[in-house]
Amino acid sequence: MAMMQSLNITGSALTAERFRMDIILQNLANISTTRTASGEPYRRKQVIFEERGLDFKSALADENYKLKNGGVRAAQVVESDRDFTPVYDPDNPEANEEGYVMYPNVNRTEEQIDLMAATRAYEANLTALATIKATINKALEMGK
């Protein structure tokens, strides 16, 4: 039973980190987007993780709820409230009266560092998954 819980926890972490990487790549892809559907530049997005668990009603109905609790999930995607980056380009059609174009609040270096951290977390979870798999295989071999 604990092995299955370990697989569920590791699987949820892999899914969450993959989603985080997708959002980071979306930020990098829109680093030059000066106008979105809302009329303003693209805003940097970040993923907020939270512990995955049962709701209160399910926990009361199941006496073994602690065995099923665990893991992580992407709870929400929030937009950064940092100011946009003004760039002087009076020939750009998006320029304001002073000649500045507002660019997204996405910092390429920050995104690359976040992407490296998400990749390392993903790889760590793959290693944990491989360890769990090897443990299950050893247990099955001992049962022969």
Side-chain angles (χ1 to χ4, degrees), residues 63-110:
E63 63 187 39
N64 295 319
Y65 76 96
K66 288 184 180 179
L67 296 176
K68 297 178 185 174
N69 196 6
V72 66
R73 72 181 187 96
Q76 63 181 332
V77 177
V78 295
E79 291 185 346
S80 173
D81 59 352
R82 281 191 290 185
D83 293 335
F84 296 120
T85 305
V87 175
Y88 185 72
D89 186 6
D91 296 331
N92 190 316
E94 300 290 329
N96 60 16
E97 298 82 29
E98 291 87 27
Y100 286 94
V101 179
M102 301 307 279
Y103 278 89
N105 55 1
V106 177
N107 180 316
R108 184 180 310 274
T109 305
E110 184 178 15

Side-chain angles (χ1 to χ4, degrees), residues 26-100:
Q26 181 181 349
N27 289 341
L28 287 169
N30 287 293
I31 202 162
S32 298
T33 304
T34 58
R35 186 173 301 256
T36 60
S38 65
E40 63 179 11
Y42 176 83
R43 285 196 175 274
R44 178 179 192 252
K45 294 182 172 97
Q46 291 179 289
V47 178
I48 305 295
F49 290 157
E50 74 178 11
E51 180 183 2
R52 185 180 71 179
L54 295 173
D55 63 341
F56 187 69
K57 183 178 178 182
S58 299
L60 287 177
D62 187 358
E63 63 187 39
N64 295 319
Y65 76 96
K66 288 184 180 179
L67 296 176
K68 297 178 185 174
N69 196 6
V72 66
R73 72 181 187 96
Q76 63 181 332
V77 177
V78 295
E79 291 185 346
S80 173
D81 59 352
R82 281 191 290 185
D83 293 335
F84 296 120
T85 305
V87 175
Y88 185 72
D89 186 6
D91 296 331
N92 190 316
E94 300 290 329
N96 60 16
E97 298 82 29
E98 291 87 27
Y100 286 94

